Amino acid sequence: SPICRTPLFPYLTFYSCFSELKFEPYAIPLLSTLVKLMADKEKRVADGATFAARSLLERVHTLSVKLVVGALYEGMQVVGGGGRVKIECVNLASLLAARAPRTMGPCLPECIPLVIECLNDSNAKVQAAAEGALPVLCSCVDNAEVASTLKGVLMLALRKPDTTLECIDEVLLTTFCNPMDSTSLAFMMPILIRGIRDANYELIKKATVCCSNLCALIKDASDVAPFVPLLLPLLEKNLDHSSPQIREATVLARQKLLEGAGDLVDLGK
């Protein structure tokens, strides 16, 4: 009942504030429960769960980020409740990005697609929370071209799909002096995948060429591995495209993607 649950939150908050790391083994497993309680019909329960979760994440050790983001990912996919759980979990992801950019960065390939789903949510408040989170999450990126030069056009393209072509044009005009890592690709790949899926031949070709260029900049195979299951089927489908130019660009992009992924991709599967 709400009467039984509500008094627990001040204790959780107190111990997370004053016990610090000693309380983490007990508090982190409770985060999923707190996220679920954010959708409680009793407002004081939902408010208490939100406050307790924020207090925990404000003090959790930066090396524990990977242990807590899973609960936030689940919350970003909760349906109903006026979008409160989505909003709070997106905001908490931003909090982690601001507190621990180096440990939150590798989590972005899984996080950004969920934030993009929130951008497309029918609830305007959820959309606003996702829009506000994107620049904060981008602060985790080390690649100077993505974090600075292209940040504006990338944020715009993620928010407004009709600017995809203009964004890819800008990327193609940019000289990259730094390698691409998973954190940078988390922002680039959704836009390229959208372009490759499009019906506009010019956009497909440019997105494919851009994909080829970025894959050539990959330093570590593990950085591109999360995107291979999404990207490779699209490229293989376009090997039979009606446009010779798209087919030619696709052959090179597929080659660069597989070279970048190295032994992490088993084409026999």
Side-chain angles (χ1 to χ4, degrees), residues 85-101:
V85 181
K86 289 184 178 181
I87 293 169
E88 298 297 350
C89 287
V90 167
N91 290 338
L92 291 174
S94 297
L95 171 65
L96 290 176
R99 283 197 63 233

Side-chain angles (χ1 to χ4, degrees), residues 1-19:
S1 70
I3 296 176
C4 295
R5 286 175 288 175
T6 306
L8 295 175
F9 302 131
Y11 289 107
L12 287 173
T13 303
F14 175 83
Y15 282 115
S16 65
C17 289
F18 295 102
S19 299

Side-chain angles (χ1 to χ4, degrees), residues 203-246:
L203 178 52
I204 297 172
K205 179 187 173 184
K206 288 184 175 181
T208 305
V209 171
C210 190
C211 174
S212 178
N213 294 346
L214 294 183
C215 287
L217 296 170
I218 293 167
K219 188 175 181 180
D220 192 323
S222 63
D223 289 328
V224 75
F227 307 99
V228 173
L230 298 172
L231 194 54
L232 188 58
L234 296 176
L235 294 176
E236 291 185 335
K237 180 181 177 181
N238 281 351
L239 289 173
D240 298 321
H241 199 281
S242 59
S243 167
Q245 293 180 323
I246 291 177

Side-chain angles (χ1 to χ4, degrees), residues 16-234:
S16 65
C17 289
F18 295 102
S19 299
E20 297 184 349
L21 300 184
K22 294 179 181 178
F23 192 55
E24 278 194 15
Y26 309 100
I28 289 176
L30 291 174
L31 185 59
S32 292
T33 301
L34 292 175
V35 168
K36 292 175 183 176
L37 289 174
M38 291 176 187
D40 199 280
K41 294 180 180 179
E42 185 71 27
K43 186 177 184 299
R44 56 179 173 172
V45 173
D47 289 346
T50 301
F51 185 76
R54 175 167 286 274
S55 297
L56 169 61
L57 297 189
E58 283 176 345
R59 292 162 180 83
V60 73
H61 195 282
T62 56
L63 297 179
S64 299
V65 166
K66 290 183 179 180
L67 299 176
V68 300
V69 290
L72 303 185
Y73 297 160
E74 291 176 8
M76 290 182 201
Q77 300 173 75
V78 169
V79 178
R84 173 166 185 167
V85 181
K86 289 184 178 181
I87 293 169
E88 298 297 350
C89 287
V90 167
N91 290 338
L92 291 174
S94 297
L95 171 65
L96 290 176
R99 283 197 63 233
R102 289 191 178 277
T103 44
M104 185 62 182
C107 302
L108 293 187
E110 190 174 357
C111 180
I112 295 300
L114 296 174
V115 175
I116 293 174
E117 285 184 20
C118 291
L119 275 175
N120 299 322
D121 196 273
S122 57
N123 188 317
K125 292 182 179 179
V126 175
Q127 293 176 17
E131 285 188 19
L134 281 175
V136 182
L137 294 170
C138 193
S139 66
C140 299
V141 176
D142 286 332
N143 182 286
E145 290 77 30
V146 174
S148 179
T149 309
L150 295 169
K151 182 178 180 179
V153 292
L154 290 174
M155 297 299 103
L156 182 62
L158 289 172
R159 296 197 313 269
K160 298 183 178 181
D162 58 347
T163 64
T164 300
L165 180 57
E166 290 82 354
C167 176
I168 290 177
D169 280 335
E170 196 67 32
V171 174
L172 289 171
L173 290 172
T174 301
T175 301
F176 285 84
C177 302
N178 300 281
M180 297 297 295
D181 58 13
S182 62
T183 308
S184 307
L185 291 172
F187 289 93
M188 301 291 293
M189 283 300 180
I191 297 170
L192 297 185
I193 288 171
R194 183 197 299 156
I196 293 172
R197 284 175 171 163
D198 203 86
N200 183 320
Y201 281 21
E202 179 187 8
L203 178 52
I204 297 172
K205 179 187 173 184
K206 288 184 175 181
T208 305
V209 171
C210 190
C211 174
S212 178
N213 294 346
L214 294 183
C215 287
L217 296 170
I218 293 167
K219 188 175 181 180
D220 192 323
S222 63
D223 289 328
V224 75
F227 307 99
V228 173
L230 298 172
L231 194 54
L232 188 58
L234 296 176

